[in-house]
Amino acid sequence: MLSLGLAAATGAALSGCHSGGGTAGGKTVLEFPSWQAAEGTFALWWRELITEFERTHPDVRVDFYSLPFDSYVDQLTIRFAANDRPEIVHLPARNAAEFAGRGWLESLEDRLRSTDIPRTWTPLQEVMALDGENYGVLLLGYGYNLYYNQQLLESVGAGVPATAEEMIAAAEAITGDGIYGFGATTAPNPDNFTELAAFVVGSGAALSTDDGAFTADSDAAIAGLDLYRRALAQAPQGIQSQQRNELFLTGKIAMLLDGPFFLNELGSATDAVRPGLKAARAPFPQVPGGVSNSIHMPAGIDPRKAEAVWDFIALAGTPQWQRRYTELTTNPAPRAGSITARAVAETPQLELFQQLADEAVSIFPGNQAHRERFGRISDIVSAAATSLITTDESTASIAAHLQDELQQAMES
């Protein structure tokens, strides 16, 4: 209770620094917190979009500001629980079902039917659905890539890995003298779930099925978990994702798995390292894929504000702004046909990114009940990842414990 009270006070203090979605200077203000407000090219797209929206809605101002990603969902959860909801809701898409299931998000189903979004969007839009209704619009679905340092691979006579075994063998040959063959998040973090699940799904297995059964202790899942464990044995220990990225960009890590959004960070690598940093298909028989972020309307807001929020969401989904999304962020936009010749000329990797997004199999739960309780599932899987990283317990034993914990979480 004390922690909740302190967090609520912190959230109130943060929102107090902004307009709180009221009015300012005679204009209606739409509060819009986002971790992407300080994220390079994503922030550029948002700010261009906001400028256009405010031009066409001169009586509305969008209060766009940054919150840290690591605590973002926790802060919004506390605010929603206290009925202190921002007007424009930006979420990690994996958490959208939880918010919708608690009645915190407005269904967009009727509004979406008046647009071409249902028939032009990526099939991964299905993660926005709850009980047959869409509660948001997906902004990015993707397949995983292997990012690699060509010089480090060549230093041990390795080519670009085409299989997980080749990747691990190259990583084992490279690791030593302060250089690591593989990079991953090896401290407790929400990214533990995504990195572990990418190995399991990439191997052709799954942690759960669409009908609600958990399969973490299946032979196929254990094989994927063991590949993950072996890769992490070649990674620096006790680091977060940002530290992982910095080590890769300074030539201390040879390979890592991430989505297309990591490409933008390669430009910040040191001069000596940058030319050798490349992106390739993740070395798995099945392309693991994820959903990054989505945009929503909170339930129960003033109808006038609701219309403005919908206008903002609809503008983001237009062909013009979807093409601009691809050009600015170098990520495949969810609307079909958004990759332009100009974008490919500037970022040739976009063709690979689009191909992987089209083939990707989601690493997130497909079952609705699991998606609604994703936060708990993610915590349990992250704890299993920590055990794989820090203990000598067998992979099969950790998988069996993971299976039991997941089943108990859904039964409780």
Side-chain angles (χ1 to χ4, degrees):
M1 290 298 293
L2 176 61
S3 298
L4 181 61
L6 289 172
T10 300
L14 281 167
S15 62
C17 296
H18 297 271
S19 64
T23 60
K27 293 186 176 185
T28 297
V29 178
L30 304 180
E31 187 184 357
F32 181 11
S34 171
W35 70 95
Q36 288 188 344
E39 279 194 359
T41 55
F42 289 102
L44 290 177
W45 182 76
W46 283 119
R47 294 190 187 282
E48 281 194 15
L49 180 70
I50 289 167
T51 297
E52 173 62 14
F53 175 77
E54 291 179 338
R55 185 188 69 79
T56 57
H57 294 72
D59 58 339
V60 180
R61 182 170 71 82
V62 177
D63 182 19
F64 182 52
Y65 64 93
S66 179
L67 291 179
F69 180 74
D70 288 348
S71 61
Y72 184 82
V73 172
D74 288 341
Q75 290 196 46
L76 256 64
T77 298
I78 291 166
R79 288 192 56 184
F80 270 80
N83 201 29
D84 175 25
R85 306 172 183 182
E87 283 76 22
I88 299 175
V89 182
H90 189 209
L91 289 174
R94 60 198 180 195
N95 298 105
E98 288 182 276
F99 278 65
R102 292 173 179 173
W104 291 347
L105 302 178
E106 188 75 21
S107 171
L108 300 181
E109 189 66 24
D110 289 342
R111 296 178 187 270
L112 285 171
R113 287 198 189 108
S114 67
T115 74
D116 64 353
I117 287 176
R119 62 181 174 80
T120 61
W121 236 242
T122 169
L124 291 171
Q125 169 68 20
E126 67 185 9
V127 303
M128 296 291 102
L130 198 68
D131 295 325
E133 296 202 6
N134 280 277
Y135 283 82
V137 175
L138 184 67
L139 293 173
L140 177 59
Y142 59 90
Y144 274 86
N145 304 278
L146 175 71
Y147 292 91
Y148 64 93
N149 183 314
Q150 187 172 2
Q151 284 88 349
L152 289 178
L153 287 177
E154 290 176 349
S155 72
V156 296
V160 181
T163 67
E165 290 291 348
E166 289 180 4
M167 178 178 71
I168 293 170
E172 290 172 343
I174 290 167
T175 299
D177 298 324
I179 304 296
Y180 298 91
F182 192 75
T185 307
T186 51
N189 186 285
D191 287 336
N192 297 139
F193 174 93
T194 57
E195 293 176 0
L196 179 153
F199 273 82
V200 173
V201 172
S203 300
L207 295 175
S208 63
T209 64
D210 288 351
D211 63 6
F214 288 106
T215 54
D217 61 349
S218 67
D219 290 344
I222 291 171
L225 291 172
D226 203 54
L227 287 172
Y228 170 73
R229 190 176 209 176
R230 289 167 58 200
L232 264 60
Q234 310 307 317
Q237 301 301 294
I239 65 170
Q240 301 283 0
S241 53
Q242 189 55 44
Q243 294 168 293
R244 176 205 72 165
N245 297 350
E246 291 169 358
L247 289 170
F248 181 76
L249 297 173
T250 54
K252 302 297 185 183
I253 285 175
M255 294 175 284
L256 58 83
L257 296 171
D258 214 329
F261 34 81
F262 187 64
L263 182 71
N264 290 322
E265 298 202 33
L266 302 190
S268 61
T270 59
D271 291 342
V273 173
R274 190 184 309 115
L277 300 184
K278 312 286 185 181
R281 186 187 191 90
F284 297 114
Q286 182 168 269
V287 179
V291 288
S292 173
N293 63 105
S294 49
I295 189 168
H296 311 264
M297 181 190 302
I301 63 170
D302 177 83
R304 182 169 49 88
K305 288 185 177 181
E307 288 305 315
V309 172
W310 170 247
D311 286 350
F312 184 78
I313 294 172
L315 180 65
T318 59
Q320 173 190 350
W321 286 99
Q322 288 289 287
R323 289 192 294 267
R324 189 61 177 149
Y325 183 91
T326 297
E327 291 171 355
L328 275 179
T329 71
T330 65
N331 285 273
R335 175 182 279 274
S338 295
I339 294 183
T340 65
R342 170 185 170 185
V344 171
E346 294 180 357
T347 310
Q349 298 92 334
L350 270 172
E351 290 186 310
L352 170 64
F353 295 163
Q354 185 64 68
Q355 179 184 355
L356 296 180
D358 292 341
E359 296 180 28
V361 176
S362 179
I363 62 173
F364 296 107
N367 178 265
Q368 178 171 308
H370 292 182
R371 288 194 282 117
E372 289 185 68
R373 301 199 66 183
F374 176 75
R376 179 64 182 135
I377 289 173
S378 177
D379 288 344
I380 292 169
V381 173
S382 294
T386 299
S387 295
L388 290 167
I389 295 166
T390 62
T391 75
D392 294 327
E393 187 178 355
S394 73
T395 302
S397 176
I398 292 172
H401 182 68
L402 172 60
Q403 177 79 3
D404 290 342
E405 290 282 296
L406 290 171
Q407 289 177 336
Q408 290 172 21
M410 293 305 297
E411 292 168 0
S412 63

